[in-house]
Structures are given as structure tokens and as C-alpha cells.
Amino acid sequence: GTESSSAKDTRARHFPLQTRALLLLRLSAAQGNAGAYMTMGDLSYYGHSGRPPDGREAASHYEHAAHLKDPRAIFNMGTLYEFGVGVPQDFHLAKRYYDQAAESSAEAHVPATIALVLLNAHRHCLTYVDEGLVTHALHGHVLQVLSDARLYTGLWHMAVDTLTAHLPPLLSTFLGLHPAQQREPSPEKASPGS
């Protein structure tokens, strides 16, 4: 298919704005603005202006922002190290970054604490796969849940709703329980008003 002239005109009008915005972000980052590094990291992580995602570039920008004590960047570095995105996978460094994020900001405490719980689940699941106690299929499911909880909803803005929706089935599967084996509430303990 050929591109319409209006689509070309729209792209041509926006490209210079994108170029100027990136230039201003770079200048702001060069002056030590952690928010600019964060934005550049996000653009690199998710891809922008027709460029594919670049984990290495994202890690570099997040690392600069983390050195400037931005708790979101510190948290994001933990996530990148946990999953090996743009950096070698390293659970110890991931934990260190999550701990540092929790200490750096009251706002980061809850997401970092949840991330630490998920990191432990991730690490133990890999151990169980290595020992043949968990199948690769279950490990794939665990990674999908972890991905949904952290990366899919935005590295920093983890949705607790997503976590709580996935955690019970994940734990049931992880513990070897199937929905039919889970305990039903006893009829004696019916809720008031029923």
C-alpha cells in the first residue's frame, strides 16, 4: 500500500517536534535532570519515533537517573537486572536496587516491597526449574505474571489490581493445587445477612 499524502504531511509536521523534544531532553539530562533521564529511559525501553525498544540504552539512561537518586529509576534498574533487559540478569543486584528504592522514598516503599516478593518467587521458580521440580511451562507462566505485574503496567506504576488478580492462581499452581482442590468456604461461616 501507498501512504496517503495527508499521512505523510502529518508525519513530516510531527517529526521536527519529536526531534526538538529529544534535543531538549538531552540538554536537560546533560544539566543533571533526573526526570529527563527517566523520560529518555522510558522512550528507549518502549521504543519511539519508529525505533525499536533498546534495553541497553534504557539501562544507561535509568542508571544516570538512579545516580541522581530518582527512586523510579532505582526501581527500574532493579527490574532490568531481574529480567536481564539491557544488562546481565543478576538477582542480587536487582534486590539491591529494590532495597535502595524502598529506602529512597516513602512512595517507593510498597512497590519495592512487592517487587522483592516477586523477585524471590522468580528466583525460587528458576531454582525449581533447574532441579526439575517445576516445568518450563509453569516457569513461563510465572514470568508472564511477573511481566504483567511490573513491565506491562509500566515499570514504576505497578498495578496492585493486576498483582492481586494473578497472585492467588499463581500460588495455587505453584503449590500444586488445582481450583477443584481449593477449599470452599464452609456453610456454617456464611457472611452476615445471607
Side-chain angles (χ1 to χ4, degrees):
T2 60
E3 189 174 32
S4 71
S5 64
S6 65
K8 286 179 185 177
D9 291 342
T10 301
R11 196 176 73 231
R13 277 195 311 260
H14 291 294
F15 183 74
L17 291 176
Q18 291 171 347
T19 302
R20 282 185 270 169
L22 287 172
L23 175 63
L24 291 173
L25 275 172
R26 286 186 185 109
L27 290 172
S28 183
Q31 293 176 355
N33 184 324
Y37 277 119
M38 275 297 301
T39 301
M40 289 171 39
D42 289 344
L43 290 172
S44 297
Y45 182 83
Y46 293 105
H48 65 91
S49 305
R51 291 180 57 200
D54 184 338
R56 282 185 141 159
E57 188 175 288
S60 174
H61 294 308
Y62 290 146
E63 190 169 24
H64 279 94
H67 285 299
L68 295 169
K69 307 295 186 219
D70 186 298
R72 298 166 304 162
I74 297 167
F75 181 91
N76 288 0
M77 287 303 298
T79 302
L80 295 179
Y81 274 106
E82 179 179 353
F83 290 97
V85 176
V87 294
Q89 188 175 40
D90 187 327
F91 290 129
H92 297 289
L93 272 177
K95 181 185 181 319
R96 186 179 302 165
Y97 275 110
Y98 290 144
D99 286 337
Q100 189 179 19
E103 292 170 6
S104 70
S105 163
E107 186 181 65
H109 186 76
V110 170
T113 301
I114 293 169
L116 285 165
V117 169
L118 294 173
L119 173 69
N120 282 326
H122 186 184
R123 190 182 74 229
H124 288 299
C125 190
L126 280 177
T127 301
Y128 295 150
V129 167
D130 290 344
E131 293 174 4
L133 300 172
V134 171
T135 66
H136 287 282
L138 176 58
H139 179 249
H141 180 68
V142 169
L143 286 181
Q144 184 61 50
V145 171
L146 295 173
S147 179
D148 287 348
R150 284 209 197 91
L151 304 174
Y152 210 53
T153 60
L155 293 171
W156 170 254
H157 300 289
M158 183 185 321
V160 175
D161 294 356
T162 302
L163 176 64
T164 56
H166 286 92
L167 196 54
L170 172 65
L171 289 176
S172 295
T173 306
F174 194 67
L175 296 173
L177 300 175
H178 297 289
Q181 294 174 312
Q182 294 178 4
R183 299 178 102 189
E184 293 294 323
S186 62
E188 308 87 56
K189 296 184 180 180
S191 62
S194 52

